[in-house]
Amino acid sequence: MIINIKKFFWNNIQKNLIAFMLLFLFTACSKKETLTTASFKTNSGWGYTIAYKEKVLIKQSIIPVISNTKSFETESDALKVADFVKQKLQQNLSPTVTKNELILLKIKL
């Protein structure tokens, strides 16, 4: 009798553990990033966009905070700033970029 009860509880624990692991695996694999970045070509260089669920939130075709209207020289520069702004948005910070931050990111001004 006691052996049957132990088997019953052990089987239930195993089933629940397997169900929990499958649920955990499913939720871990299905988590998608909602903010996406992309670069685009402008007349004088590169710009970037940041989208949420395929809706563009930010479209930046010029380098922010500098006095003249100039696009990013390279695609990688545009994407560096886009990723930086995306991180700020994910941390619920203002997406503004300062000149010092551009210098730290080694963006050609």
Side-chain angles (χ1 to χ4, degrees):
M1 171 99 169
I2 294 177
I3 295 173
N4 288 338
I5 293 173
K6 284 184 180 180
K7 284 184 182 179
F8 173 77
F9 283 116
W10 179 246
N11 286 338
N12 280 341
I13 289 173
Q14 285 178 331
K15 288 177 188 175
N16 288 335
L17 186 59
I18 290 171
F20 176 77
M21 292 299 287
L22 288 173
L23 179 67
F24 179 76
L25 183 64
F26 176 75
T27 57
C29 292
S30 67
K31 189 174 184 180
K32 294 182 181 179
E33 188 174 305
T34 52
L35 286 175
T36 57
T37 59
S39 61
F40 62 90
K41 187 81 172 126
T42 65
N43 292 336
S44 60
W46 291 89
Y48 69 85
T49 59
I50 298 177
Y52 176 74
K53 294 183 180 179
E54 298 182 23
K55 182 178 179 183
V56 175
L57 298 176
I58 297 172
K59 183 175 182 179
Q60 189 72 45
S61 58
I62 60 171
I63 301 174
V65 247
I66 61 172
S67 57
N68 47 349
T69 56
K70 175 179 153 183
S71 293
F72 295 96
E73 283 189 23
T74 64
E75 183 180 17
S76 66
D77 281 353
L79 289 174
K80 271 194 254 182
V81 177
D83 289 335
F84 180 71
V85 172
K86 182 175 106 174
Q87 285 177 346
K88 282 184 149 189
L89 288 170
Q90 289 172 333
Q91 296 171 359
N92 291 328
L93 299 173
S94 172
T96 57
V97 179
T98 66
K99 193 169 185 177
N100 284 340
E101 289 170 333
L102 290 176
I103 292 169
L104 289 174
L105 289 171
K106 298 179 182 172
I107 305 299
K108 292 182 182 179
L109 306 176

